[in-house]
Each structure stands twice: as structure tokens, then as C-alpha cells.
Amino acid sequence: MNAETKLLAEVIRNAPYGANWFLSTDSYDGIKYILGSLLNITKGDWIVNITEVNRATVAELIEKHGLAMKIVHTSVESKERTVLLRGYDGMAFIGINEDFYKELNQDNIPATLDIELD
């Protein structure tokens, strides 16, 4: 599993319930089939609402299918609209909210990643 995928799965595992994971619609079209009914398709973004019920499933699908590398732009926002993660250009750029970053399991954040803390 690549570093970006490992980080994205860790973010989803720790995102608060009610958070939304946004994926740009110019991402790999197969994501619609991989995420299936978990995905809400809008004109601007594809959105997955993170719930107590689906959190583990979403993280597993990210890992199984290497989704971090199939997304053009992505973000995870709390229900209060705090941006927890920003990823651009296939996660070539990664920004993470500093307080949220402290809650993540550091063993699941590969040292090879260049992460900007917001």
C-alpha cells in the first residue's frame, strides 16, 4: 500500500462522525462503482458522509483499491466545516489540520510524506 493511501485511510478512521469526504468529479470514474451507495454524487463533488456505521468500510475500500492515487483533489471536512485534510493532484500536496493531526496514529503516517500542517 502506498504512503498516501495509508494516510487517507488513517484520516477516515479518525474523522469525526458527520464529517464529509469530498472527491473531485474529475477523479477516476471507477470510484463511483468502488464506493457505490456510500457515494453521493453532486454537480461539484462526489461526497461520502462518514458515519459510525460506514467508517471502517470506507477505510477498507480506500486501502483495498489504493484510492488515494485515483483521486485528483480531495478534502475531509468536519460537520462544523473545519477542513481536516486537503489533498491536491493525487495527493502530491497534503495539508492537515494541526489539531486533527495530533489525534492520528503516527505509526500510520509514513515518514516519506511531505505534510503541511494548517
Side-chain angles (χ1 to χ4, degrees):
M1 171 182 346
N2 66 39
E4 293 83 0
T5 295
K6 190 170 184 176
L7 173 65
L8 182 58
E10 177 66 14
V11 166
I12 295 300
R13 280 191 193 93
N14 288 280
Y17 298 128
N20 285 310
W21 175 30
F22 296 90
L23 304 90
S24 61
T25 57
D26 56 347
S27 298
Y28 171 62
D29 199 52
I31 290 172
K32 293 187 288 189
Y33 306 102
I34 292 167
L35 295 175
S37 65
L38 296 168
L39 194 62
N40 179 18
I41 298 173
T42 69
K43 288 183 182 180
D45 290 297
W46 298 333
I47 304 168
V48 176
N49 180 261
I50 305 303
T51 67
E52 186 173 354
V53 174
N54 73 11
R55 172 196 308 267
T57 300
V58 173
E60 289 169 15
L61 289 170
I62 289 168
E63 292 173 335
K64 179 178 179 182
H65 296 281
L67 292 185
M69 301 314 293
K70 296 176 180 175
I71 299 166
V72 176
H73 305 302
T74 192
S75 66
V76 177
E77 296 181 10
S78 71
K79 62 183 173 185
E80 292 81 19
R81 310 227 4 133
T82 299
V83 177
L84 305 174
L85 169 84
R86 298 176 293 129
Y88 302 111
D89 299 326
M91 294 190 68
F93 170 84
I94 302 167
I96 299 179
N97 175 282
E98 189 170 4
D99 293 332
F100 180 67
Y101 182 81
K102 293 173 186 174
E103 298 174 19
L104 301 177
N105 180 345
Q106 299 302 305
D107 292 337
N108 290 327
I109 302 174
T112 58
L113 294 175
D114 185 20
I115 299 172
E116 179 178 306
L117 297 180
D118 299 328

